[in-house]
Amino acid sequence: MARTTTRRALVAAGVFGFGFSGLIDVLVLHHVLQLHHLVSGLYPMDTLSGLRTNIRADGLFSLAMVGIAGVGAGLLWQSERRTEAPLALRPVAGAALVGLGAFDLFDVLVDHVLLGLHQPTMQGGVYNPHWAAVSLLFVAAGWLLYRSGRDAEDVTRDTAETANDRTE
């Protein structure tokens, strides 16, 4: 059966990946490991009022990321329902991986460098180049997965057209 990919599905998968990555970031690094908090570069974590402000900001950020991931998942589900053929998995998964890397790149460039909201492990930005490099690797891996799926989709479509030409 031929599979399809729509622009809407790819954008939806990217939005989902962006929100999912932000959610994993805040849950693991901020809440569980407590390496830093969303606004720990602005409010100290070693005072009760500073810690409360940081935890509140982390909670609001968590809600925002759940909302973004939910919107992406809803749009992706809607995209699947609107197509006659199932969505091609590799291009959609690739778009989600690009979204995941895009969040991490946004985090390092905007949150860490431009706004100074927080630093990973509070090491004064030592890990920012590494964070950016890993983020770019996620984006590149997503792009390669997307392209491999699109290429396979093109081969499948060409094969189906050739088979149709032979039967006519």
Side-chain angles (χ1 to χ4, degrees):
M1 173 187 294
R3 295 193 174 264
T4 187
T5 305
T6 65
R7 181 169 294 174
R8 181 185 183 100
L10 295 173
V11 170
V15 169
F16 174 77
F18 188 93
F20 183 74
S21 182
L23 192 57
I24 294 303
D25 178 272
V26 73
L27 290 175
V28 175
L29 300 177
H30 297 213
H31 292 302
V32 175
L33 298 177
Q34 297 180 10
L35 296 176
H36 60 271
H37 294 283
L38 184 64
V39 292
S40 58
L42 306 175
Y43 298 94
M45 296 186 324
D46 56 358
T47 67
L48 184 56
S49 68
L51 186 58
R52 282 183 177 163
T53 301
N54 276 288
I55 290 173
R56 184 175 295 112
D58 287 344
L60 293 172
F61 184 74
S62 297
L63 290 174
M65 291 298 106
V66 166
I68 290 170
V71 166
L75 291 173
L76 188 57
W77 177 78
Q78 191 177 53
S79 295
E80 176 74 29
R81 305 278 299 168
R82 289 183 174 184
T83 61
E84 292 181 21
L87 293 174
L89 181 62
R90 283 192 288 179
V92 171
L97 198 53
V98 168
L100 187 140
F103 170 81
D104 290 338
L105 201 55
F106 173 85
D107 186 39
V108 72
L109 294 177
V110 175
D111 293 344
H112 300 182
V113 177
L114 292 176
L115 300 178
L117 295 179
H118 64 267
Q119 296 299 329
T121 67
M122 297 311 294
Q123 297 296 318
V126 171
Y127 294 109
N128 285 335
H130 305 88
W131 196 261
V134 169
S135 301
L136 289 171
L137 287 174
F138 276 120
V139 170
W143 176 253
L144 290 173
L145 186 58
Y146 164 78
R147 286 301 308 157
S148 72
R150 292 295 294 187
D151 293 344
E153 189 177 312
D154 291 343
V155 167
T156 302
R157 189 177 304 118
D158 290 345
T159 304
E161 288 173 3
T162 303
N164 286 340
D165 289 345
R166 287 185 196 150
T167 60
E168 291 177 353

